[in-house]
Amino acid sequence: DFLHVDTVLLQRVYVLFVMEIQTRTVHILGVTAHPTGAWTTQQARNFLIDLGERASSYSFLIRDRDSKFTAAFDAVFSGNGTRVIKTPVRSPRANSYAERFVGTLRRECLDHVLILGERHLREMLAEYARHYNEHRPHQGLQQEPPQRQPGHAVDITARIERRQVIGGLISEYHRAA
């Protein structure tokens, strides 16, 4: 799905992201001021290349009916054996996981930071995506982050350390090793 962010210089920047529904892992595919069908298709190709062997494990891609999602975009995923499903017209609940992520991203990060431009937004999104995927608890995952390490023993007597991310906007807490 796409989301848009307005910068301090009143420029609208678009962000293309993908969310794995089963694990809730978010991938930021690209940031641009002028998204086109060709750009979106290239981001899809890059995403599948980055996934490597894992790309064949995806069965479905749920997307909205935005004109930037062209037939070439669908062909990239179809060629990988992934079935592309378009959401019904004017039904944001059909892609509720993506809509929820956008709301969370805005509430926890973008509403508190003045974005200077595309580069600044890329940096913020990369840091937030890392936090979201590796540290932030999710109710649907029994308060675990999407990229959790099951079976990892935690020493509950160890000292707790705080690490600030996104310029001190969010604090992450870890047991000291």
Side-chain angles (χ1 to χ4, degrees):
D1 204 354
F2 276 96
L3 70 105
H4 71 273
V5 178
D6 294 323
T7 67
V8 174
L9 302 173
L10 303 177
Q11 178 187 20
R12 182 159 282 181
V13 182
Y14 297 87
V15 178
L16 176 63
F17 70 95
V18 172
M19 175 182 272
E20 299 177 33
I21 301 299
Q22 184 176 7
T23 64
R24 307 295 199 281
T25 302
V26 171
H27 305 275
I28 306 296
L29 302 189
V31 175
T32 185
H34 306 288
T36 62
W39 179 84
T40 305
T41 302
Q42 186 59 49
Q43 300 310 309
R45 286 187 195 111
N46 295 346
F47 174 61
L48 290 180
I49 289 169
D50 289 345
L51 286 176
E53 293 297 319
R54 279 187 353 122
S56 61
S57 67
Y58 294 112
S59 303
F60 303 102
L61 173 74
I62 301 170
R63 68 167 184 83
D64 60 17
R65 295 175 179 269
D66 194 321
S67 62
K68 292 179 275 304
F69 296 121
T70 62
F73 176 86
D74 292 348
V76 169
F77 287 99
S78 296
N80 192 49
T82 303
R83 183 173 163 221
V84 178
I85 300 172
K86 297 178 188 175
T87 60
V89 178
R90 294 185 182 178
S91 56
R93 290 184 183 168
N95 202 356
S96 60
Y97 293 101
E99 298 297 330
R100 176 66 187 245
F101 170 72
V102 171
T104 300
L105 173 65
R106 290 194 190 283
R107 280 187 304 278
E108 292 183 0
C109 180
L110 297 177
D111 287 350
H112 304 283
V113 177
L114 296 174
I115 301 298
L116 302 175
E118 285 183 40
R119 183 170 153 220
H120 184 228
L121 180 59
R122 273 190 202 95
E123 292 169 1
M124 285 292 166
L125 290 172
E127 193 168 3
Y128 184 79
R130 189 211 49 80
H131 166 75
Y132 187 89
N133 292 331
E134 297 174 8
H135 187 78
R136 185 182 182 280
H138 294 256
Q139 286 183 353
L141 300 173
Q142 290 74 44
Q143 300 303 327
E144 295 285 337
Q147 295 176 349
R148 61 193 174 279
Q149 298 174 353
H152 185 283
V154 176
D155 179 12
I156 61 170
T157 62
R159 191 171 49 90
I160 296 175
E161 292 181 346
R162 179 179 74 157
R163 184 175 69 140
Q164 294 182 329
V165 295
I166 310 174
L169 186 62
I170 298 174
S171 295
E172 294 180 348
Y173 298 92
H174 300 276
R175 294 273 179 188

